[in-house]
Amino acid sequence: MYRSLLGALATILLIVAIMLARAAMVDVPASDVPAAAPINIDGMNVARHLAEAVRFQTISYGGKANEAEKNAALEAMRSWLATTYPKFHKAATREIMGESLLYTWKGTNPALPPILLMAHMDVVPVVPGTEKDWEHQPFSGDIAGGYVWGRGSIDDKGSLIAILEAAERLAATGFTPERTVMIAVGQDEELGGDGAMAKTLAARGVHFAWALDEGGIIADEPFPGVLKQAAFVAVAEKGYLSLELVAHGEGGHSSRPSRDMAVTRLAEAVLKVVHHPFRSGLDDIEREKLHILAPAMPFVPRLLLANLWIAEPIVLRLLAAQSDADARLHTTIAPTMLSAGVKDNVLPPVARATINLRLNPRDTIDSAVEHVRGAIDDPKVDIDVLDETQTEASKPADINGASYKFLAKEIQASFGNIPVAPDMTSGATDSRYYQPMADSVLRFVPFRFGPDDLGREHGTNERLAVGNLAPAVAFYMRLMRDTK
Protein backbone atom coordinates (compact mmCIF):
# COMPACT_ATOMS: atom_id res chain seq x y z
CA MET A 1 0.00 0.00 0.00
CA TYR A 2 2.78 2.42 1.00
CA ARG A 3 4.63 1.61 -2.20
CA SER A 4 1.51 2.47 -4.19
CA LEU A 5 1.14 5.77 -2.35
CA LEU A 6 4.81 6.60 -2.83
CA GLY A 7 4.53 5.70 -6.50
CA ALA A 8 1.49 7.94 -6.95
CA LEU A 9 3.19 10.78 -5.07
CA ALA A 10 6.31 10.41 -7.21
CA THR A 11 4.18 10.53 -10.37
CA ILE A 12 2.41 13.68 -9.16
CA LEU A 13 5.71 15.35 -8.28
CA LEU A 14 7.14 14.42 -11.67
CA ILE A 15 4.11 15.91 -13.45
CA VAL A 16 4.36 19.10 -11.36
CA ALA A 17 8.10 19.34 -12.10
CA ILE A 18 7.47 18.94 -15.83
CA MET A 19 4.73 21.58 -15.75
CA LEU A 20 6.93 24.04 -13.86
CA ALA A 21 9.83 23.43 -16.22
CA ARG A 22 7.65 23.97 -19.28
CA ALA A 23 6.21 27.17 -17.78
CA ALA A 24 9.71 28.43 -17.02
CA MET A 25 10.73 27.90 -20.64
CA VAL A 26 7.92 30.12 -21.88
CA ASP A 27 9.54 33.42 -22.71
CA VAL A 28 8.76 36.53 -24.71
CA PRO A 29 10.12 35.90 -28.21
CA ALA A 30 12.76 38.35 -29.31
CA SER A 31 11.69 40.73 -32.06
CA ASP A 32 14.07 42.42 -34.44
CA VAL A 33 11.49 44.61 -36.19
CA PRO A 34 12.79 48.19 -36.09
CA ALA A 35 10.36 50.95 -35.20
CA ALA A 36 8.99 52.73 -38.24
CA ALA A 37 9.91 56.34 -38.85
CA PRO A 38 7.18 58.58 -37.44
CA ILE A 39 4.73 60.22 -39.84
CA ASN A 40 3.31 63.57 -38.81
CA ILE A 41 -0.49 63.44 -39.11
CA ASP A 42 -3.08 65.78 -37.65
CA GLY A 43 -5.38 63.32 -35.91
CA MET A 44 -7.99 65.99 -35.18
CA ASN A 45 -8.34 66.77 -38.88
CA VAL A 46 -8.90 63.06 -39.55
CA ALA A 47 -11.45 63.05 -36.72
CA ARG A 48 -13.37 65.89 -38.38
CA HIS A 49 -13.53 63.91 -41.61
CA LEU A 50 -14.72 60.80 -39.76
CA ALA A 51 -17.36 62.89 -37.99
CA GLU A 52 -18.63 64.11 -41.36
CA ALA A 53 -18.74 60.53 -42.66
CA VAL A 54 -20.75 59.38 -39.64
CA ARG A 55 -23.45 61.96 -40.41
CA PHE A 56 -24.37 60.20 -43.67
CA GLN A 57 -27.17 57.86 -42.58
CA THR A 58 -26.16 54.94 -44.76
CA ILE A 59 -28.32 52.53 -42.78
CA SER A 60 -28.88 48.94 -43.91
CA TYR A 61 -32.28 47.92 -42.54
CA GLY A 62 -32.73 44.84 -44.67
CA GLY A 63 -35.76 43.65 -46.57
CA LYS A 64 -35.43 46.67 -48.89
CA ALA A 65 -36.76 48.90 -46.09
CA ASN A 66 -35.89 52.60 -46.50
CA GLU A 67 -33.78 51.66 -49.52
CA ALA A 68 -34.32 54.97 -51.34
CA GLU A 69 -33.14 56.95 -48.32
CA LYS A 70 -30.11 54.73 -47.92
CA ASN A 71 -29.16 54.99 -51.59
CA ALA A 72 -29.46 58.77 -51.44
CA ALA A 73 -27.15 58.83 -48.43
CA LEU A 74 -24.67 56.54 -50.20
CA GLU A 75 -24.68 58.80 -53.28
CA ALA A 76 -24.08 61.85 -51.11
CA MET A 77 -21.26 60.08 -49.29
CA ARG A 78 -19.60 59.02 -52.55
CA SER A 79 -19.65 62.66 -53.72
CA TRP A 80 -18.25 63.77 -50.38
CA LEU A 81 -15.40 61.26 -50.63
CA ALA A 82 -14.47 62.57 -54.07
CA THR A 83 -14.43 66.16 -52.78
CA THR A 84 -12.59 65.33 -49.56
CA TYR A 85 -9.85 63.24 -51.18
CA PRO A 86 -9.25 64.90 -54.57
CA LYS A 87 -5.60 63.93 -55.05
CA PHE A 88 -6.29 60.25 -54.54
CA HIS A 89 -9.32 60.42 -56.83
CA LYS A 90 -7.08 61.93 -59.48
CA ALA A 91 -4.39 59.28 -59.04
CA ALA A 92 -6.74 56.28 -58.98
CA THR A 93 -9.58 55.04 -61.17
CA ARG A 94 -12.98 55.00 -59.50
CA GLU A 95 -15.79 52.65 -60.50
CA ILE A 96 -19.31 52.72 -59.06
CA MET A 97 -20.63 49.17 -58.92
CA GLY A 98 -24.25 49.23 -57.86
CA GLU A 99 -23.99 51.51 -54.85
CA SER A 100 -20.46 50.36 -53.95
CA LEU A 101 -17.08 51.79 -54.90
CA LEU A 102 -13.96 50.23 -56.38
CA TYR A 103 -10.72 52.17 -56.62
CA THR A 104 -7.76 50.98 -58.68
CA TRP A 105 -4.41 52.67 -58.06
CA LYS A 106 -2.17 51.25 -60.75
CA GLY A 107 1.30 50.19 -59.70
CA THR A 108 4.56 50.63 -61.54
CA ASN A 109 5.10 46.88 -61.86
CA PRO A 110 2.13 45.25 -63.64
CA ALA A 111 3.74 41.82 -63.24
CA LEU A 112 2.93 41.88 -59.51
CA PRO A 113 -0.57 40.76 -58.48
CA PRO A 114 -2.50 43.59 -56.81
CA ILE A 115 -3.45 43.89 -53.14
CA LEU A 116 -6.95 44.69 -51.89
CA LEU A 117 -7.91 46.92 -48.98
CA MET A 118 -11.53 46.68 -47.89
CA ALA A 119 -14.07 48.69 -45.90
CA HIS A 120 -17.79 49.41 -46.08
CA MET A 121 -20.02 52.47 -45.99
CA ASP A 122 -23.22 50.97 -44.62
CA VAL A 123 -24.06 50.78 -40.92
CA VAL A 124 -26.55 48.89 -38.78
CA PRO A 125 -29.69 50.63 -37.52
CA VAL A 126 -30.04 52.02 -34.03
CA VAL A 127 -32.43 49.88 -31.99
CA PRO A 128 -35.69 51.87 -31.77
CA GLY A 129 -36.22 53.30 -28.32
CA THR A 130 -32.52 53.34 -27.39
CA GLU A 131 -31.76 56.76 -28.86
CA LYS A 132 -32.24 58.32 -25.42
CA ASP A 133 -29.47 56.09 -24.05
CA TRP A 134 -26.83 57.60 -26.32
CA GLU A 135 -24.57 60.22 -24.75
CA HIS A 136 -24.44 61.87 -28.18
CA GLN A 137 -27.05 61.35 -30.86
CA PRO A 138 -26.31 58.31 -33.06
CA PHE A 139 -25.62 60.29 -36.25
CA SER A 140 -24.37 63.51 -34.68
CA GLY A 141 -20.71 62.86 -35.46
CA ASP A 142 -19.89 64.81 -32.32
CA ILE A 143 -16.25 65.08 -31.31
CA ALA A 144 -16.22 65.16 -27.52
CA GLY A 145 -14.19 63.74 -24.67
CA GLY A 146 -11.49 62.48 -27.02
CA TYR A 147 -13.89 60.45 -29.19
CA VAL A 148 -15.78 60.63 -32.46
CA TRP A 149 -19.30 59.57 -31.55
CA GLY A 150 -21.87 57.90 -33.74
CA ARG A 151 -23.08 54.81 -35.53
CA GLY A 152 -20.42 53.52 -37.89
CA SER A 153 -17.47 55.24 -36.21
CA ILE A 154 -16.06 51.79 -35.38
CA ASP A 155 -17.90 49.66 -37.91
CA ASP A 156 -16.64 50.49 -40.45
CA LYS A 157 -16.26 54.15 -41.39
CA GLY A 158 -13.27 54.52 -39.10
CA SER A 159 -11.14 52.17 -41.17
CA LEU A 160 -12.59 53.52 -44.44
CA ILE A 161 -11.56 57.06 -43.58
CA ALA A 162 -8.14 55.95 -42.33
CA ILE A 163 -7.47 54.10 -45.61
CA LEU A 164 -8.50 57.05 -47.80
CA GLU A 165 -6.64 59.56 -45.61
CA ALA A 166 -3.52 57.45 -46.11
CA ALA A 167 -4.03 57.21 -49.87
CA GLU A 168 -4.66 60.98 -50.13
CA ARG A 169 -1.44 61.80 -48.29
CA LEU A 170 0.62 59.43 -50.41
CA ALA A 171 -0.92 60.72 -53.65
CA ALA A 172 -0.21 64.29 -52.56
CA THR A 173 3.52 63.48 -52.46
CA GLY A 174 3.45 62.08 -56.01
CA PHE A 175 3.82 58.53 -54.74
CA THR A 176 2.85 55.64 -57.01
CA PRO A 177 2.73 52.13 -55.53
CA GLU A 178 4.96 49.46 -57.00
CA ARG A 179 2.15 46.91 -56.69
CA THR A 180 -1.36 47.92 -57.80
CA VAL A 181 -3.54 48.83 -54.82
CA MET A 182 -7.28 48.26 -55.09
CA ILE A 183 -9.76 49.52 -52.50
CA ALA A 184 -13.23 47.97 -52.33
CA VAL A 185 -15.85 49.97 -50.44
CA GLY A 186 -19.05 48.00 -49.96
CA GLN A 187 -22.56 49.29 -49.42
CA ASP A 188 -24.35 46.21 -48.05
CA GLU A 189 -21.88 44.42 -45.79
CA GLU A 190 -24.26 44.68 -42.85
CA LEU A 191 -26.83 42.75 -44.90
CA GLY A 192 -24.39 39.99 -45.73
CA GLY A 193 -23.39 41.47 -49.08
CA ASP A 194 -23.87 39.73 -52.39
CA GLY A 195 -20.28 39.55 -53.59
CA ALA A 196 -21.10 41.56 -56.72
CA MET A 197 -17.73 43.34 -56.84
CA ALA A 198 -15.85 40.10 -56.25
CA LYS A 199 -17.78 38.40 -59.06
CA THR A 200 -17.00 41.27 -61.44
CA LEU A 201 -13.30 41.17 -60.61
CA ALA A 202 -13.20 37.40 -60.89
CA ALA A 203 -14.76 37.68 -64.36
CA ARG A 204 -11.96 40.08 -65.27
CA GLY A 205 -9.40 37.51 -64.17
CA VAL A 206 -8.12 39.56 -61.22
CA HIS A 207 -6.19 37.64 -58.59
CA PHE A 208 -4.86 39.30 -55.43
CA ALA A 209 -1.64 38.69 -53.56
CA TRP A 210 -3.63 39.38 -50.41
CA ALA A 211 -6.80 41.06 -49.21
CA LEU A 212 -7.25 42.91 -45.93
CA ASP A 213 -10.63 43.58 -44.35
CA GLU A 214 -11.94 44.42 -40.88
CA GLY A 215 -11.72 41.76 -38.19
CA GLY A 216 -8.81 41.70 -35.74
CA ILE A 217 -7.84 44.61 -33.47
CA ILE A 218 -5.20 45.83 -31.06
CA ALA A 219 -6.43 44.85 -27.61
CA ASP A 220 -5.36 46.72 -24.48
CA GLU A 221 -6.35 43.71 -22.34
CA PRO A 222 -6.12 40.71 -24.66
CA PHE A 223 -6.74 38.19 -21.88
CA PRO A 224 -7.88 38.55 -18.25
CA GLY A 225 -4.86 39.54 -16.22
CA VAL A 226 -2.78 40.44 -19.30
CA LEU A 227 -2.36 44.20 -19.42
CA LYS A 228 0.17 44.26 -22.25
CA GLN A 229 -1.23 45.16 -25.67
CA ALA A 230 -1.48 42.52 -28.36
CA ALA A 231 -2.62 42.63 -31.97
CA PHE A 232 -4.92 40.00 -33.42
CA VAL A 233 -5.04 39.24 -37.13
CA ALA A 234 -8.05 37.16 -38.06
CA VAL A 235 -6.84 34.52 -40.49
CA ALA A 236 -10.30 32.93 -40.76
CA GLU A 237 -13.92 33.77 -40.16
CA LYS A 238 -16.79 31.65 -39.02
CA GLY A 239 -19.49 30.58 -41.41
CA TYR A 240 -22.97 32.09 -41.37
CA LEU A 241 -26.19 30.13 -41.31
CA SER A 242 -29.72 31.14 -40.39
CA LEU A 243 -32.42 28.50 -39.99
CA GLU A 244 -36.14 29.04 -39.74
CA LEU A 245 -37.97 26.58 -37.52
CA VAL A 246 -41.61 26.19 -38.53
CA ALA A 247 -43.71 24.40 -35.92
CA HIS A 248 -47.18 23.07 -36.78
CA GLY A 249 -50.08 22.48 -34.43
CA GLU A 250 -53.84 22.70 -34.11
CA GLY A 251 -55.46 26.09 -34.52
CA GLY A 252 -58.69 27.20 -32.96
CA HIS A 253 -60.10 29.27 -30.13
CA SER A 254 -57.84 30.05 -27.19
CA SER A 255 -60.67 29.18 -24.78
CA ARG A 256 -60.38 25.54 -25.89
CA PRO A 257 -56.61 24.96 -26.22
CA SER A 258 -55.56 21.56 -27.51
CA ARG A 259 -52.51 19.60 -26.38
CA ASP A 260 -50.99 20.18 -29.82
CA MET A 261 -50.15 23.89 -29.92
CA ALA A 262 -47.68 25.28 -32.45
CA VAL A 263 -46.30 27.89 -30.05
CA THR A 264 -45.56 25.30 -27.37
CA ARG A 265 -43.95 22.99 -29.91
CA LEU A 266 -41.82 25.86 -31.21
CA ALA A 267 -40.70 26.86 -27.71
CA GLU A 268 -39.66 23.28 -26.97
CA ALA A 269 -37.80 23.05 -30.28
CA VAL A 270 -35.83 26.25 -29.65
CA LEU A 271 -34.87 25.10 -26.16
CA LYS A 272 -33.77 21.71 -27.47
CA VAL A 273 -31.44 23.38 -29.96
CA VAL A 274 -29.99 25.79 -27.38
CA HIS A 275 -29.47 22.96 -24.88
CA HIS A 276 -27.74 20.78 -27.47
CA PRO A 277 -24.50 22.71 -28.13
CA PHE A 278 -21.99 21.92 -30.83
CA ARG A 279 -18.67 20.28 -30.02
CA SER A 280 -16.18 22.70 -28.47
CA GLY A 281 -12.38 22.68 -28.35
CA LEU A 282 -9.13 24.38 -29.28
CA ASP A 283 -8.22 24.42 -32.97
CA ASP A 284 -4.82 25.26 -34.46
CA ILE A 285 -5.60 28.99 -34.56
CA GLU A 286 -6.56 29.14 -30.89
CA ARG A 287 -3.55 27.08 -29.84
CA GLU A 288 -1.16 29.38 -31.69
CA LYS A 289 -2.87 32.46 -30.25
CA LEU A 290 -2.57 31.16 -26.69
CA HIS A 291 1.04 30.15 -27.31
CA ILE A 292 1.89 33.72 -28.35
CA LEU A 293 -0.01 35.30 -25.43
CA ALA A 294 1.36 32.93 -22.78
CA PRO A 295 4.63 34.82 -22.09
CA ALA A 296 2.69 37.95 -21.13
CA MET A 297 0.41 36.16 -18.68
CA PRO A 298 0.66 35.86 -14.90
CA PHE A 299 2.24 32.66 -13.59
CA VAL A 300 -0.86 30.49 -13.09
CA PRO A 301 -2.42 30.95 -16.55
CA ARG A 302 1.05 30.74 -18.08
CA LEU A 303 1.53 27.42 -16.26
CA LEU A 304 -1.74 26.14 -17.71
CA LEU A 305 -1.07 27.30 -21.27
CA ALA A 306 2.43 25.84 -21.27
CA ASN A 307 0.92 22.48 -20.36
CA LEU A 308 -2.14 22.07 -22.54
CA TRP A 309 -1.28 18.37 -22.77
CA ILE A 310 -2.76 18.01 -19.28
CA ALA A 311 -4.44 21.37 -18.55
CA GLU A 312 -6.58 21.78 -21.69
CA PRO A 313 -9.89 20.92 -19.93
CA ILE A 314 -9.21 23.63 -17.33
CA VAL A 315 -8.26 26.15 -20.02
CA LEU A 316 -11.44 25.37 -21.94
CA ARG A 317 -13.55 26.00 -18.83
CA LEU A 318 -11.80 29.32 -18.25
CA LEU A 319 -12.33 30.40 -21.87
CA ALA A 320 -15.95 29.26 -21.82
CA ALA A 321 -16.63 31.69 -18.97
CA GLN A 322 -15.99 34.61 -21.36
CA SER A 323 -18.56 34.97 -24.12
CA ASP A 324 -16.13 36.39 -26.68
CA ALA A 325 -13.51 33.69 -26.10
CA ASP A 326 -16.13 30.96 -25.83
CA ALA A 327 -17.62 31.87 -29.22
CA ARG A 328 -14.33 30.99 -30.90
CA LEU A 329 -14.34 27.45 -29.54
CA HIS A 330 -17.45 26.13 -31.28
CA THR A 331 -20.39 26.84 -33.52
CA THR A 332 -22.68 29.25 -31.68
CA ILE A 333 -26.47 29.09 -31.45
CA ALA A 334 -28.54 32.28 -31.16
CA PRO A 335 -32.35 32.40 -31.43
CA THR A 336 -33.05 35.86 -32.83
CA MET A 337 -36.63 36.10 -34.15
CA LEU A 338 -40.02 34.68 -33.14
CA SER A 339 -43.41 35.07 -34.81
CA ALA A 340 -46.84 33.50 -34.37
CA GLY A 341 -50.48 34.40 -34.18
CA VAL A 342 -52.70 37.24 -35.34
CA LYS A 343 -54.87 37.80 -32.26
CA ASP A 344 -54.67 37.13 -28.55
CA ASN A 345 -57.64 34.71 -28.52
CA VAL A 346 -56.70 32.69 -31.61
CA LEU A 347 -54.44 29.63 -31.48
CA PRO A 348 -52.01 29.91 -34.39
CA PRO A 349 -51.59 26.71 -36.41
CA VAL A 350 -48.04 27.74 -37.33
CA ALA A 351 -45.26 29.37 -35.29
CA ARG A 352 -41.85 30.38 -36.57
CA ALA A 353 -38.42 31.07 -35.07
CA THR A 354 -35.14 32.10 -36.65
CA ILE A 355 -31.93 30.69 -35.22
CA ASN A 356 -28.60 32.16 -36.30
CA LEU A 357 -25.55 29.91 -36.27
CA ARG A 358 -21.95 31.04 -36.66
CA LEU A 359 -20.11 27.99 -37.95
CA ASN A 360 -16.78 26.91 -36.56
CA PRO A 361 -14.52 25.54 -39.35
CA ARG A 362 -14.99 22.03 -37.94
CA ASP A 363 -18.69 22.22 -38.90
CA THR A 364 -20.34 22.62 -42.30
CA ILE A 365 -23.77 23.91 -43.29
CA ASP A 366 -24.99 20.37 -43.93
CA SER A 367 -23.64 18.96 -40.67
CA ALA A 368 -25.05 21.92 -38.72
CA VAL A 369 -28.53 21.39 -40.19
CA GLU A 370 -28.40 17.71 -39.25
CA HIS A 371 -27.22 18.63 -35.74
CA VAL A 372 -30.25 20.90 -35.29
CA ARG A 373 -32.60 18.34 -36.82
CA GLY A 374 -31.35 15.67 -34.46
CA ALA A 375 -31.67 17.94 -31.44
CA ILE A 376 -35.33 18.77 -32.23
CA ASP A 377 -36.35 15.27 -33.38
CA ASP A 378 -39.92 16.33 -34.13
CA PRO A 379 -41.58 15.64 -37.51
CA LYS A 380 -43.97 18.54 -36.90
CA VAL A 381 -41.11 21.06 -36.92
CA ASP A 382 -39.75 21.93 -40.34
CA ILE A 383 -36.21 23.26 -40.65
CA ASP A 384 -35.74 25.66 -43.55
CA VAL A 385 -32.34 27.03 -44.54
CA LEU A 386 -32.46 30.73 -45.34
CA ASP A 387 -30.45 30.52 -48.54
CA GLU A 388 -29.66 34.20 -48.85
CA THR A 389 -27.68 34.17 -45.61
CA GLN A 390 -25.50 31.10 -45.71
CA THR A 391 -21.75 30.76 -46.10
CA GLU A 392 -19.34 28.06 -45.04
CA ALA A 393 -16.54 28.90 -42.62
CA SER A 394 -13.53 30.24 -44.46
CA LYS A 395 -10.31 28.39 -45.07
CA PRO A 396 -7.65 29.77 -42.68
CA ALA A 397 -4.83 31.82 -44.15
CA ASP A 398 -1.33 30.45 -43.70
CA ILE A 399 0.27 32.07 -40.63
CA ASN A 400 3.66 31.02 -41.97
CA GLY A 401 2.96 32.62 -45.36
CA ALA A 402 4.56 35.77 -46.71
CA SER A 403 1.40 37.88 -46.49
CA TYR A 404 0.75 37.18 -42.81
CA LYS A 405 4.40 37.76 -41.94
CA PHE A 406 4.42 41.03 -43.89
CA LEU A 407 1.32 42.30 -42.09
CA ALA A 408 2.64 41.22 -38.69
CA LYS A 409 5.91 43.04 -39.36
CA GLU A 410 4.07 46.23 -40.37
CA ILE A 411 1.96 46.05 -37.19
CA GLN A 412 5.03 45.64 -34.99
CA ALA A 413 6.90 48.43 -36.76
CA SER A 414 3.94 50.77 -36.32
CA PHE A 415 2.81 49.85 -32.81
CA GLY A 416 5.94 49.03 -30.90
CA ASN A 417 6.78 45.35 -31.35
CA ILE A 418 3.63 44.15 -29.61
CA PRO A 419 2.77 40.46 -29.90
CA VAL A 420 0.83 39.60 -33.05
CA ALA A 421 -1.39 36.54 -32.79
CA PRO A 422 -3.73 34.80 -35.25
CA ASP A 423 -7.43 34.82 -34.52
CA MET A 424 -10.78 33.86 -35.98
CA THR A 425 -13.51 36.44 -36.32
CA SER A 426 -17.03 35.39 -35.38
CA GLY A 427 -18.69 38.04 -37.56
CA ALA A 428 -19.14 37.71 -41.29
CA THR A 429 -17.26 40.14 -43.55
CA ASP A 430 -17.23 40.82 -47.28
CA SER A 431 -13.73 39.32 -47.42
CA ARG A 432 -15.23 35.83 -47.73
CA TYR A 433 -16.23 36.61 -51.31
CA TYR A 434 -12.58 37.15 -52.24
CA GLN A 435 -11.35 33.87 -50.78
CA PRO A 436 -11.20 32.07 -54.17
CA MET A 437 -9.33 34.94 -55.82
CA ALA A 438 -6.63 35.83 -53.27
CA ASP A 439 -3.54 33.99 -52.11
CA SER A 440 -4.32 35.13 -48.59
CA VAL A 441 -7.29 36.83 -46.90
CA LEU A 442 -6.57 38.63 -43.63
CA ARG A 443 -8.70 40.74 -41.30
CA PHE A 444 -7.35 43.55 -39.11
CA VAL A 445 -8.08 47.17 -38.26
CA PRO A 446 -5.28 49.22 -36.64
CA PHE A 447 -7.33 50.53 -33.71
CA ARG A 448 -6.73 50.03 -30.00
CA PHE A 449 -9.69 48.85 -27.96
CA GLY A 450 -10.15 48.17 -24.28
CA PRO A 451 -12.72 45.79 -22.76
CA ASP A 452 -15.24 48.64 -22.52
CA ASP A 453 -15.05 49.34 -26.25
CA LEU A 454 -15.96 45.93 -27.62
CA GLY A 455 -19.67 46.10 -26.80
CA ARG A 456 -20.09 49.43 -28.58
CA GLU A 457 -19.81 47.94 -32.07
CA HIS A 458 -23.43 47.59 -33.25
CA GLY A 459 -24.38 48.80 -29.76
CA THR A 460 -25.29 51.96 -27.91
CA ASN A 461 -22.75 54.79 -27.70
CA GLU A 462 -20.56 53.59 -30.54
CA ARG A 463 -17.47 55.77 -30.64
CA LEU A 464 -13.84 55.75 -31.79
CA ALA A 465 -11.00 57.40 -29.91
CA VAL A 466 -9.42 60.33 -31.73
CA GLY A 467 -6.06 58.98 -30.55
CA ASN A 468 -6.57 55.94 -32.78
CA LEU A 469 -6.78 57.88 -36.00
CA ALA A 470 -3.32 59.29 -36.70
CA PRO A 471 -1.57 55.94 -35.98
CA ALA A 472 -4.09 54.14 -38.19
CA VAL A 473 -3.51 56.49 -41.11
CA ALA A 474 0.26 56.11 -40.71
CA PHE A 475 -0.13 52.32 -40.63
CA TYR A 476 -2.07 52.25 -43.91
CA MET A 477 0.44 54.61 -45.51
CA ARG A 478 3.27 52.22 -44.64
CA LEU A 479 1.23 49.24 -45.79
CA MET A 480 0.69 50.73 -49.26
CA ARG A 481 4.21 52.10 -49.45
CA ASP A 482 6.04 48.97 -48.27
CA THR A 483 4.18 46.28 -50.21
CA LYS A 484 6.47 45.00 -52.93
Side-chain angles (χ1 to χ4, degrees):
M1 175 180 178
Y2 291 110
R3 287 183 178 178
S4 297
L5 289 174
L6 288 173
L9 180 60
T11 301
I12 292 172
L13 290 175
L14 177 61
I15 291 174
V16 171
I18 293 173
M19 291 179 69
L20 291 172
R22 289 174 64 92
M25 289 188 292
V26 173
D27 198 4
V28 178
S31 176
D32 58 356
V33 179
I39 300 175
N40 186 28
I41 294 169
D42 182 356
M44 186 55 69
N45 187 57
V46 181
R48 284 190 285 269
H49 286 160
L50 175 56
E52 292 174 18
V54 165
R55 294 179 192 127
F56 294 102
Q57 298 191 31
T58 52
I59 306 170
S60 284
Y61 288 97
K64 298 190 180 300
N66 303 100
E67 191 169 25
E69 291 86 346
K70 175 190 173 182
N71 289 343
L74 288 166
E75 182 179 4
M77 186 171 178
R78 290 194 299 266
S79 296
W80 174 82
L81 290 173
T83 301
T84 305
Y85 304 110
K87 293 181 175 59
F88 172 63
H89 278 74
K90 184 177 181 180
T93 300
R94 185 184 81 154
E95 297 177 79
I96 299 176
M97 296 187 176
E99 300 294 336
S100 299
L101 285 171
L102 178 69
Y103 295 100
T104 302
W105 197 358
K106 288 189 177 180
T108 58
N109 188 348
L112 296 175
I115 63 169
L116 178 67
L117 301 178
M118 301 178 63
H120 60 88
M121 292 181 285
D122 65 321
V123 302
V124 297
V126 174
V127 177
T130 66
E131 294 87 352
K132 64 182 184 305
D133 299 324
W134 286 68
E135 295 180 42
H136 298 265
Q137 286 301 300
F139 293 96
S140 66
D142 287 347
I143 302 174
Y147 297 93
V148 179
W149 296 80
R151 175 63 82 231
S153 53
I154 295 176
D155 186 12
D156 183 37
K157 291 179 179 178
S159 55
L160 169 62
I161 295 305
I163 291 169
L164 294 183
E165 292 278 340
E168 178 73 6
R169 282 165 172 75
L170 288 172
T173 67
F175 169 82
T176 301
E178 181 176 350
R179 187 189 296 269
T180 293
V181 174
M182 302 182 78
I183 302 174
V185 186
Q187 61 88 16
D188 58 357
E189 193 273 351
E190 299 295 0
L191 300 177
D194 61 4
M197 276 197 291
K199 293 172 186 175
T200 298
L201 292 174
R204 294 177 183 176
V206 176
H207 190 87
F208 297 103
W210 50 265
L212 180 64
D213 200 357
E214 60 180 327
I217 61 168
I218 299 171
D220 283 342
E221 189 177 332
F223 200 84
V226 179
L227 301 181
K228 181 177 180 179
Q229 289 181 5
F232 296 95
V233 176
V235 297
E237 69 177 53
K238 299 179 84 172
Y240 191 103
L241 175 63
S242 283
L243 302 176
E244 185 177 58
L245 310 185
V246 185
H248 302 273
E250 292 184 14
H253 201 288
S254 65
S255 64
R256 298 183 296 277
S258 73
R259 296 182 182 274
D260 185 21
M261 291 183 286
V263 170
T264 302
R265 174 169 280 112
L266 180 69
E268 291 174 347
V270 170
L271 288 175
K272 285 179 180 178
V273 175
V274 170
H275 293 152
H276 192 73
F278 287 80
R279 182 167 65 92
S280 186
L282 298 176
D283 58 19
D284 291 342
I285 296 173
E286 287 297 305
R287 289 179 184 277
E288 180 65 17
K289 178 170 73 174
L290 294 176
H291 171 73
I292 291 172
L293 292 179
M297 292 189 178
F299 176 73
V300 172
R302 186 167 75 249
L303 178 69
L304 296 175
L305 294 181
N307 294 279
L308 288 174
W309 60 281
I310 193 171
E312 183 168 335
I314 300 174
V315 172
L316 287 174
R317 284 197 293 272
L318 292 173
L319 293 174
Q322 311 161 49
S323 59
D324 188 59
D326 181 53
R328 286 163 167 75
L329 302 177
H330 57 89
T331 292
T332 55
I333 302 167
T336 55
M337 299 172 69
L338 299 168
S339 65
V342 294
K343 199 172 185 297
D344 64 342
N345 64 350
V346 177
L347 294 175
V350 174
R352 303 173 187 274
T354 299
I355 295 183
N356 182 245
L357 307 177
R358 302 302 175 100
L359 304 177
N360 186 281
R362 71 171 66 90
D363 298 310
T364 66
I365 291 173
D366 289 342
S367 69
V369 172
E370 288 309 307
H371 177 97
V372 171
R373 195 183 308 280
I376 296 173
D377 192 24
D378 186 341
K380 286 195 170 184
V381 178
D382 299 329
I383 301 170
D384 297 330
V385 176
L386 301 180
D387 292 334
E388 69 273 16
T389 55
Q390 61 166 309
T391 55
E392 301 282 5
S394 70
K395 178 184 176 183
D398 182 5
I399 61 175
N400 294 311
S403 301
Y404 182 88
K405 289 182 176 180
F406 169 73
L407 181 60
K409 181 178 178 181
E410 292 293 312
I411 292 170
Q412 291 185 316
S414 295
F415 298 100
N417 275 322
I418 59 177
V420 178
D423 201 2
M424 177 170 57
T425 181
S426 55
T429 70
D430 281 343
S431 67
R432 65 190 184 278
Y433 297 114
Y434 295 88
Q435 192 88 27
M437 48 190 300
D439 291 341
S440 184
V441 175
L442 304 168
R443 303 156 191 86
F444 172 75
V445 291
F447 298 139
R448 290 176 46 191
F449 293 118
D452 179 57
D453 297 312
L454 299 179
R456 296 176 185 272
E457 183 180 1
H458 286 200
T460 298
N461 285 319
E462 185 175 352
R463 67 186 189 185
L464 186 63
V466 174
N468 268 316
L469 296 173
V473 174
F475 169 79
Y476 283 119
M477 289 178 69
R478 296 185 187 105
L479 205 63
M480 287 184 264
R481 183 193 63 197
D482 296 344
T483 184
K484 305 295 183 185

